[in-house]
Structures are given as structure tokens and as C-alpha cells.
Amino acid sequence: MRIGELAERAGTTTRTLRYYEARGLLTAARDAQGHRVFTEDDLRVLRQIRTLREHGFDLEETRPFVECLRAGHPAGDACPDSLDVYRRKLAELDACIADLRSVRDEVGARLARAEAEAGAGRGAEPRCALTWPAAVPPHATEEETPA
């Protein structure tokens, strides 16, 4: 298949495919006219790259999976280098989750403190810089005020 068909089937652009080719993640054979020719295996490589990218892997992290696919492993993640990338990504995700838990705990503590302060002030006069004269309720109009 040609580059346009591969791009369409993979849900990407020809520009992206050329970029992947320049980075060595995709290889194309050439036909007699010099046009790039791709196979179903190339489509499988692109799908693997796309899946990994959707899961937060950067482009260079996909390389071991691509190489594993090219080596004949059907899933692309059974090779030692692919497993190492999975381990590093999992450690990275665990660190992010721990950071998010810490932020969540801090926000929860601040919310609880703010709610407690707001609850302690209920029933008391609102703290305001503007004070109304005792004889004039704040909702009274000028006609209702005593002279």
C-alpha cells in the first residue's frame, strides 16, 4: 500500500509517517517509480505506536516495541527492552499518582479547615467593614428611616 492509504488506515497523516520514517521507527520499501510501499506489518507497527502514545509513552519509548514487533513477536511487548520500558513507565505513573494523592490530601485538608471556619461563624454577625446605624436596618429605604 502507498503512504496515503497507510496514513488513512492508521488514522494519521502522511507527514507523521514521514517523520516516523526519518526517526527510524517506520521503514518503507520503494516501488519501481520510487514511491514508498508499506505492508500490513507497517500498519501493525503504527497501531502499536499509536496505542503507546495514547497511554503517555513518548515517541522514543515506543522504539523497543517497534523493534520487538520487527523481530517477530506478535504483541511487540515480549522483549526485554519493551519490558524495561513498561517498568519505567509504571514507576513514573506510580510517582505521579503519589504526587496527585498528596495534592488531593492537601486540598481536602484545606477544604475541611475552611468549612470548619465557615461553620464556626454561622449565626454570628457577618464581618463587614460597613456597619449600619442601629436604627436603620440595612434593607430599609430612605422613606422608612426615622427622621
Side-chain angles (χ1 to χ4, degrees):
M1 78 187 91
R2 292 233 179 126
I3 194 168
E5 181 183 351
L6 179 62
E8 185 178 324
R9 289 182 63 191
T12 191
T13 65
T14 57
R15 182 177 178 181
T16 298
L17 298 183
R18 287 186 193 99
Y19 179 71
Y20 289 172
E21 186 178 12
R23 299 287 307 263
L25 294 170
L26 190 62
T27 55
R30 300 283 180 158
D31 65 14
Q33 293 80 28
H35 297 122
R36 290 173 176 88
V37 178
F38 297 95
T39 66
E40 292 296 320
D41 287 340
D42 296 314
L43 180 59
R44 194 166 40 134
V45 164
L46 287 170
R47 287 182 175 151
Q48 178 78 320
I49 291 171
R50 183 179 199 144
T51 298
L52 291 167
R53 300 281 289 145
E54 288 171 354
H55 288 96
F57 290 73
D58 68 34
L59 191 56
E60 197 55 38
E61 288 175 318
T62 68
R63 187 173 302 281
F65 297 90
V66 169
E67 291 169 356
C68 194
L69 281 170
R70 286 187 183 144
H73 297 277
D77 58 4
C79 299
D81 290 343
S82 300
L83 297 173
D84 287 343
V85 171
Y86 273 153
R87 287 183 192 102
R88 283 193 305 270
K89 182 56 73 176
L90 199 55
E92 181 184 311
L93 290 169
D94 287 342
C96 287
I97 290 167
D99 288 346
L100 286 171
R101 281 190 180 129
S102 175
V103 169
R104 186 194 186 289
D105 291 347
E106 176 65 23
V107 170
R110 286 174 179 258
L111 173 62
R113 202 169 34 251
E115 287 177 334
E117 287 177 12
R122 288 195 181 128
E125 290 295 318
R127 291 180 226 156
C128 181
L130 180 62
T131 56
W132 296 95
V136 182
H139 63 278
T141 63
E142 192 172 315
E143 293 82 34
E144 296 173 345
T145 57

